[in-house]
Amino acid sequence: MDNQNVLTPAEESKRFALRETKPRVYEKMRRYTDKFNRGESIAILQFQYSYACNFSCEHCAVARMEKKPRRFTLGDVRELSRQGDELGLANFVITGGEPLVFPDLDELIDAIDPSKWYLVMDTNGWFLDADKAKHLKAKGVDKIQLSLDSIHPELHNEFRHHNESFERVMNAVDASIAAGLNLILSTVATRQNVRSQDFIDLLEFAKSKGIGTFVTLAKPVGKWEGNFDTLCSQDDIAYINELAKTYDVFTHLTPSYGLSVGCIAVKRMVSITMYGDVMPCPYIHTSIGNFFDEPLETIIKRGLNNKFFGNHIDTCIAAVSRPFIETYMAKAYGRALPIPYDEMFSDEDLIFSKINIK
């Protein structure tokens, strides 16, 4: 059944605001349902511009990304923006690493061209004070995704391996709201914490601030490579969905823009490394193509021809599906990342044995 473009009241309000402030972005988003129903990608471009970071977080997923001779220049960024815009994509996330330590962040934002994108920035909040929040808003950043792992300072600081991190996050929350930035908290759900009172306390805090909470499901990659003990179950996802009746809490599986996408790999997100490799998502560490070698459109079509990414799957295969993790993702364990596409997948994993990707 085709998805119907039924937006929540909050989404309607944000869409209306975009029509006034970023009409080009509004028009692209308005076409998302038709694009998706035609089998096209409506991918968020999750852009790992640099891995520079002032933290050493427990769950970091980019710890072993292979260093390659070529990395993104600002000229390359402008070309990525142009190609993504021509594909009708509208969502762009600046991540890393920690964007607020990038010395050329302003130039990076200019190269992306915020008029073309609903522009989001991931941050740990350490450098996000009132002046920085106002500056980002003025530059065209629309939304901040701010990491918070517990409302209890000692637990958050321990997870982030950084004293005083909690205090900085609390300041960043208030600074972002005051600057008029859209704000969501980002937290990691593990089997150990997802049903805890600590998790409820965090949702209560977000509710008191009038902001949402995005829940990232633990993945057995990066510094948690092979750590299956942290993985949530499908029942845990159902529990989070039940909490959504009381709190503004969601995962990447939660329908948005009136669309029920399921697993969003390639269909609703691709992750682009600082060395040009395009991955199906930030946690499936294989390159479906390199942006420096071929067009983004070609790479995305290749990804959509994979049965795991082109078909609708109702769960997060990188976090919940042990068969997928053990059969495919584990091939990347212990290696420089991301691994070549044909070393993780075979022709048996294609939807069509031959596909015109020109």
Side-chain angles (χ1 to χ4, degrees):
M1 180 181 296
D2 283 354
N3 278 277
Q4 301 300 312
N5 191 19
V6 179
L7 305 182
T8 66
E11 287 174 331
E12 284 277 14
S13 176
K14 290 177 182 177
R15 185 76 64 88
F16 180 80
L18 273 177
R19 186 171 63 181
E20 302 300 317
T21 60
K22 294 187 175 182
R24 187 169 183 164
V25 178
Y26 167 80
E27 287 297 330
K28 287 190 289 185
M29 287 184 175
R30 197 170 60 84
R31 300 186 185 103
Y32 267 3
T33 298
D34 288 342
K35 283 177 63 65
F36 185 76
N37 287 336
R38 289 196 301 266
E40 298 176 19
S41 174
I42 52 170
I44 299 165
L45 301 186
Q46 197 250 20
F47 184 40
Q48 302 171 359
Y49 178 65
S50 169
Y51 298 129
C53 189
N54 59 320
F55 276 25
S56 179
C57 298
E58 183 174 320
H59 66 309
C60 181
V62 299
R64 273 207 331 277
M65 288 297 168
E66 182 181 6
K67 293 183 179 179
K68 296 185 176 181
R70 182 174 177 182
R71 57 161 293 177
F72 267 91
T73 65
L74 293 175
D76 295 323
V77 174
R78 283 188 284 272
E79 177 61 16
L80 175 63
S81 174
R82 185 193 67 79
Q83 290 190 28
D85 178 57
E86 287 190 355
L87 289 174
L89 306 179
N91 301 78
F92 201 111
V93 178
I94 301 173
T95 187
E98 166 52 48
L100 292 180
V101 305
F102 300 168
D104 56 350
L105 179 59
D106 281 3
E107 292 81 3
L108 172 62
I109 293 171
D110 291 339
I112 293 167
D113 188 353
S115 70
K116 297 178 181 177
W117 299 94
Y118 185 77
L119 188 56
V120 181
M121 182 178 296
D122 290 339
T123 180
N124 58 42
W126 186 265
F127 295 109
L128 188 54
D129 58 17
D131 289 340
K132 181 63 72 174
K134 292 176 184 176
H135 178 72
L136 293 174
K137 177 70 174 177
K139 291 290 293 181
V141 174
D142 297 287
K143 182 177 181 179
I144 295 294
Q145 185 165 298
L146 182 62
S147 297
L148 179 63
D149 300 293
S150 173
I151 196 60
H152 302 290
E154 66 281 1
L155 295 179
H156 173 84
N157 291 343
E158 180 182 2
F159 189 84
R160 293 285 157 176
H161 296 176
H162 212 301
N163 292 334
E164 300 180 12
S165 171
F166 179 82
E167 181 181 354
R168 295 286 191 112
V169 172
M170 292 297 103
N171 291 337
V173 167
D174 293 336
S176 298
I177 294 172
L181 289 160
N182 291 327
L183 174 66
I184 60 171
L185 300 179
S186 177
T187 196
V188 180
T190 67
R191 181 175 61 83
Q192 291 77 16
N193 73 12
V194 69
R195 296 174 186 263
S196 68
Q197 184 59 45
D198 183 50
F199 187 61
I200 297 297
D201 291 344
L202 188 151
L203 298 183
E204 286 283 357
F205 168 76
K207 187 175 183 179
S208 74
K209 292 289 186 178
I211 56 180
T213 303
F214 172 65
V215 177
T216 298
L217 304 169
K219 317 290 193 307
V221 297
K223 290 185 178 179
W224 277 355
E225 185 175 283
N227 185 356
F228 298 145
D229 290 340
T230 63
L231 301 187
C232 292
S233 67
Q234 197 64 29
D235 286 343
D236 292 328
I237 296 175
Y239 171 72
I240 295 170
N241 292 339
E242 188 67 22
L243 290 175
K245 297 177 181 178
T246 304
Y247 304 101
D248 183 8
V249 57
F250 47 94
T251 70
H252 67 275
L253 298 168
T254 303
S256 62
Y257 297 99
L259 297 170
S260 179
V261 176
C263 176
I264 65 173
V266 184
K267 292 184 290 292
R268 182 68 180 117
M269 170 176 278
V270 290
S271 186
I272 304 166
T273 76
M274 64 183 289
Y275 304 110
D277 288 303
V278 181
M279 302 184 295
C281 82
Y283 309 101
I284 301 176
H285 289 155
T286 185
S287 175
I288 58 176
N290 191 289
F291 177 74
F292 301 144
D293 298 331
E294 53 188 346
L296 183 63
E297 181 179 17
T298 298
I299 296 169
I300 289 176
K301 282 185 177 180
R302 180 180 298 118
L304 289 176
N305 191 40
N306 183 297
K307 64 186 180 183
F308 295 106
F309 312 136
N311 294 322
H312 184 99
I313 298 177
D314 281 329
T315 193
C316 176
I317 56 176
V320 175
S321 174
R322 287 289 289 270
F324 180 81
I325 294 167
E326 294 173 356
T327 303
Y328 295 93
M329 292 171 59
K331 293 179 182 179
Y333 285 1
R335 301 177 60 184
L337 303 174
I339 66 171
Y341 179 73
D342 60 5
E343 293 183 19
M344 183 173 288
F345 299 105
S346 69
D347 288 348
E348 294 180 355
D349 300 311
L350 302 181
I351 297 173
F352 304 104
S353 59
K354 292 183 179 180
I355 183 171
N356 181 8
I357 58 172
K358 299 299 183 182

